[in-house]
Amino acid sequence: MIEVKNLIKEYRNDHVVTRVLKGISFNIKEGEFIAIMGHSGSGKSTLMHIMGFLDRPTGGSYKFDGQSIDDLSDDELARIRNKKIGFVFQSFNLLARTSVLENVKLPLIFTGLSSKYKNDIAKDALKSVDLLHRLDHFPNQLSGGEQQRVAIARAIANHPSIIFADEPTGNLDSKSGQQIMEILQKLNEQGNTIILVTHEKYTSEMAKRIIELMDGNLIIDKKVISRKYARDGLLK
């Protein structure tokens, strides 16, 4: 699904060049659950932005479903992003004056679907995160954990190929964070590819593979037995 080869990202400020990613390489297969780890400044969020078509690399190559993003215009990248990628952010990014249902429907705006069908899809997404009873509420009427579950419902409304979760538990208490991670694991079990960006060891242990960055370099790429599977005895 994803092929990253010798990826470089630089930022230029006058004559000063800051290299954030320093030639990293890896592949991601469909259906994986990967945690990208690293301290602040390691390059993990920059990497996610490139993989999610929110930014472009300075050098190296990035292929998504076998196609290089260098061959695609910004409009083409936006269409693929809307159709194939779902995002979950630490700050939720919900529209404050818009109902839960309307927030979840946002990725469906340009699909050409009927209003009724959009409502049905959004309700199904909310049902999958156990928030159907909150569809007429506004974000400020929800707890942090509930807001993040709305964000997940929005991310999966378009049935994306891959879900990027950037520090999804960073603003939550431990109980709410655990619920969010269990939802992400359930989505992975249903076939969704999950890429989790985190600096928290606890959340990374819920993934099946860990990629760790340090100072823009890939230092660890290993498969792991996630905490859930170890607990359930599904893997040995």
Side-chain angles (χ1 to χ4, degrees):
M1 174 177 281
I2 284 177
E3 180 182 333
V4 172
K5 188 173 182 180
N6 297 323
L7 200 71
I8 294 171
K9 181 62 181 181
E10 296 175 343
Y11 293 101
R12 296 177 179 270
N13 184 7
D14 294 328
H15 299 293
V16 178
V17 177
T18 302
R19 181 169 285 192
V20 180
L21 298 177
K22 303 175 181 178
I24 63 178
S25 302
F26 58 87
N27 296 330
I28 295 175
K29 296 180 181 179
E30 185 175 359
E32 288 200 83
F33 189 164
I34 295 175
I36 298 178
M37 296 192 69
H39 296 296
S40 178
S42 63
K44 60 185 186 296
S45 291
T46 298
L47 176 60
M48 189 205 76
H49 289 162
I50 292 173
M51 289 194 293
F53 305 147
L54 299 173
D55 200 355
R56 290 181 183 266
T58 307
S61 66
Y62 171 38
K63 292 183 178 179
F64 184 87
D65 281 346
Q67 186 170 21
S68 172
I69 67 170
D70 289 338
D71 301 330
L72 301 171
S73 68
D74 289 344
D75 287 343
E76 288 171 325
L77 289 179
R79 282 193 290 271
I80 295 174
R81 184 169 61 242
N82 186 61
K83 186 176 181 180
K84 294 189 175 183
I85 295 177
F87 290 99
V88 180
F89 297 101
Q90 178 178 348
S91 56
F92 318 137
N93 289 359
L94 301 178
L95 299 182
R97 298 184 180 182
T98 303
S99 72
V100 164
L101 182 65
E102 295 301 317
N103 265 285
V104 176
K105 286 167 58 178
L106 284 175
L108 307 172
I109 289 177
F110 300 110
T111 60
L113 299 172
S114 69
S115 179
K116 181 183 182 306
Y117 196 32
K118 290 177 185 177
N119 282 340
D120 291 342
I121 292 173
K123 287 177 181 178
D124 284 343
L126 285 168
K127 184 177 180 180
S128 71
V129 296
D130 297 322
L131 277 182
L132 191 56
H133 62 292
R134 295 287 206 181
L135 61 88
D136 291 323
H137 288 67
F138 290 88
N140 65 0
Q141 296 174 311
L142 306 179
S143 67
E146 288 174 328
Q147 290 185 60
Q148 193 61 290
R149 283 151 63 189
V150 173
I152 292 175
R154 180 183 58 192
I156 64 176
N158 253 356
H159 302 289
S161 303
I162 187 166
I163 297 170
F164 289 97
D166 190 3
E167 302 280 7
T169 63
N171 285 336
L172 305 177
D173 59 64
S174 58
K175 181 178 179 180
S176 297
Q178 174 70 20
Q179 291 174 339
I180 295 303
M181 293 308 303
E182 288 175 356
I183 290 172
L184 291 176
Q185 281 191 320
K186 181 180 177 181
L187 290 170
N188 179 243
E189 291 165 5
Q190 293 170 350
N192 293 279
T193 304
I194 308 291
I195 298 181
L196 168 72
V197 174
T198 183
H199 68 277
E200 297 174 336
K201 183 178 179 181
Y202 176 81
T203 54
S204 72
E205 290 175 347
M206 308 289 272
K208 299 177 185 176
R209 178 181 167 195
I210 293 176
I211 291 175
E212 186 169 349
L213 304 182
M214 178 182 288
D215 299 328
N217 296 297
L218 192 158
I219 60 170
I220 293 175
D221 185 351
K222 65 179 181 180
K223 291 185 177 181
V224 296
I225 298 177
S226 75
R227 177 174 295 181
K228 177 181 186 300
Y229 290 105
R231 184 187 67 228
D232 295 346
L234 299 178
L235 291 177
K236 297 182 180 180

